[in-house]
Amino acid sequence: MGTAQPGPDEVPCIRCKEPVFGYALRCPHCGVHFSGRAEDFAPKEGLSRRAKALVTLVAVALLLAGLSDDIAALWWRMK
């Protein structure tokens, strides 16, 4: 169980991980009922919005840390 890869219109069942059509209301393998469609419970691919924000914040912080000496030098030259 749980070894089959989902096809293009399928998602893994939340209980048994077997492929289930995205519009299914119940898993034909283990019988779990979905409140909505199966695709609503499927794991989402990619980073969440929160993770993207965190990555962006860390990247900006690292960029500023790397440029801090240059920024300080420019600041003191302008004065």
Side-chain angles (χ1 to χ4, degrees), residues 1-3 19 26 45 50 52 62 76:
M1 277 189 131
T3 59
R26 182 180 64 80
E45 291 190 27
R50 186 176 185 178
K52 287 178 185 177
L62 290 174
W76 290 111

Side-chain angles (χ1 to χ4, degrees), residues 8-70:
D9 293 333
E10 297 176 321
V11 295
C13 171
I14 58 172
R15 181 188 289 166
C16 70
K17 308 295 187 239
E18 290 292 324
V20 178
F21 283 108
Y23 55 81
L25 298 176
R26 182 180 64 80
C27 176
H29 307 285
C30 69
V32 68
H33 286 271
F34 306 111
S35 59
R37 298 180 330 188
E39 62 189 16
D40 297 337
F41 297 94
K44 309 292 187 254
E45 291 190 27
L47 295 176
S48 68
R49 183 180 222 175
R50 186 176 185 178
K52 287 178 185 177
L54 182 60
V55 167
T56 302
L57 183 64
V58 169
V60 168
L62 290 174
L63 177 66
L64 289 176
L67 295 176
S68 63
D69 292 338
D70 298 330

